Amino acid sequence: MGIRLAPLLLGVFWLLVFANIEVWKEVQASQSLHAHFFAVGQGDAILIRTRQGHAILIDGGRGDTILKKLGGALPFWKRSLDLVVATHADADHIAGLAFVFERYAVARILWTGEGKETGTFERFLSAMERSGAQGVLARERQVMYWGDRGFLEVLAPLDHMAAYEKDANEGSIVLRLETPGGSALFPGDAPKSIEQELVNSGKQLASDVLLAGHHGSKTSSSPLFVETVRPSLAVVSAGFDNPYGHPHQETIETFGRYGIGILRTDLDGDITISFSY
Ligand SMILES: [Zn+2]
């Protein structure tokens, strides 16, 4: 009995020490909002952790790598996400989310309501339905607050563009994060035509950090859009040596022309940007 009890007690002890460290880390983290741009190969997956500990996931990459990334970035006891955003129905954004819905309790899923005739989308949809999460259709001007002057705003899909006019990329959810400690723009795979619409709309686009649209493809990041957003940092989320040639040289040159720093998940791995306030 004694022999069996000792390791058990030791186990409890270590668990408590580990829990204390995690709690301490949480307290430390509470001075900043963190945006984790995960290196998930060719695709997007960004986790926002608010100062109060809310977890917001924007896209989930193509495979199940996202589970390992979430496990590393969240405290070990946290098995819930407050909001998951599926920017559009392409596999490099939603395939990983099906795994997330099976492993995490998700409160709300913000999505476009538009699908594709692919096995990946079918799996995404059925995992979403099984998850019990509240599905919310993205609409221009929706704002999500978490009570500390930080918020996320839906800039697109644009109201005046009917579904039949859009391909999946044109229908991408475009989000802007605003905090007193800095701002960031997440355009999904929105192409130059949508960037032009956003500039024309007069919406607040200026942001400290810009996720390069469509993984740095030359079909996004038009000079006018980049000049309007005027970030100090651009993040490219792309797979190492990907077959699409992302990020495109033209995009890199556009950022260079405006003196914008570039971080890349394909070369730099996971990237965490903290906004302190
Ligand atoms: Zn994509």
Side-chain angles (χ1 to χ4, degrees):
M1 185 67 184
I3 292 163
R4 293 170 65 108
L5 193 60
L8 178 68
L9 283 174
L10 197 63
V12 170
F13 174 74
W14 279 114
L15 185 66
L16 287 175
V17 170
F18 187 41
N20 281 338
I21 291 168
E22 288 291 331
V23 169
W24 178 77
K25 267 168 47 183
E26 281 297 281
V27 172
Q28 288 289 96
S30 69
Q31 302 303 312
S32 306
L33 175 145
H34 303 287
H36 303 274
F37 297 79
F38 294 133
V40 290
Q42 183 67 11
D44 281 358
I46 303 116
L47 174 70
I48 295 171
R49 288 277 279 154
T50 72
R51 300 191 310 167
Q52 298 92 331
H54 302 113
I56 300 165
L57 179 66
I58 304 172
D59 290 334
R62 187 180 283 272
D64 65 355
T65 313
I66 184 61
L67 294 180
K68 210 168 73 191
K69 301 294 184 184
L70 286 176
L74 294 169
F76 75 91
W77 68 78
K78 187 152 174 74
R79 286 283 166 212
S80 62
L81 298 171
D82 300 279
L83 175 69
V84 169
V85 181
T87 60
H88 62 295
D90 284 350
D92 55 324
H93 298 257
I94 61 161
L97 292 181
F99 298 102
V100 172
F101 297 155
E102 283 161 12
R103 200 69 73 81
Y104 287 81
V106 176
R108 286 182 195 80
I109 300 169
L110 182 73
W111 71 304
T112 63
E114 287 170 37
K116 280 184 115 176
E117 286 179 11
T118 60
T120 298
F121 180 73
E122 293 300 320
R123 276 191 295 281
F124 162 82
L125 199 60
S126 65
M128 177 163 82
E129 282 164 359
R130 278 197 308 274
S131 73
Q134 182 195 355
V136 180
L137 293 181
R139 291 284 175 264
E140 221 182 314
R141 289 177 293 277
Q142 277 167 338
V143 180
M144 287 142 278
Y145 295 97
W146 43 85
D148 71 349
R149 294 173 293 151
F151 63 88
L152 264 178
E153 182 180 0
V154 177
L155 303 185
L158 297 151
D159 283 346
H160 70 273
M161 289 188 72
Y164 61 83
E165 289 178 291
K166 298 184 299 231
D167 66 15
N169 289 347
E170 285 172 329
S172 269
I173 296 175
V174 178
L175 293 170
R176 185 172 175 278
L177 169 74
E178 173 76 54
T179 80
S183 51
L185 193 63
F186 306 96
D189 283 356
K192 286 175 172 170
S193 57
I194 298 297
E195 294 178 347
Q196 181 70 51
E197 294 272 356
L198 286 169
V199 170
N200 293 349
S201 75
K203 290 176 195 285
Q204 163 85 310
L205 298 178
S207 302
D208 301 300
V209 178
L210 171 65
L211 173 67
H214 200 183
H215 322 285
S217 161
K218 66 174 176 178
T219 54
S220 299
S221 301
S222 65
L224 175 65
F225 184 69
V226 171
E227 190 179 339
T228 308
V229 178
R230 268 301 170 123
S232 47
L233 180 70
V235 176
V236 174
S237 187
F240 182 75
D241 201 20
N242 66 78
Y244 312 101
H246 296 160
H248 197 275
Q249 191 57 31
E250 198 175 302
T251 304
I252 292 173
E253 283 168 12
T254 301
F255 291 142
R257 206 175 316 139
Y258 293 102
I260 298 162
I262 305 173
L263 287 174
R264 300 168 52 162
T265 60
D266 59 339
L267 302 181
D268 303 307
D270 296 334
I271 295 158
T272 300
I273 294 167
S274 301
F275 300 102
S276 298
Y277 57 103

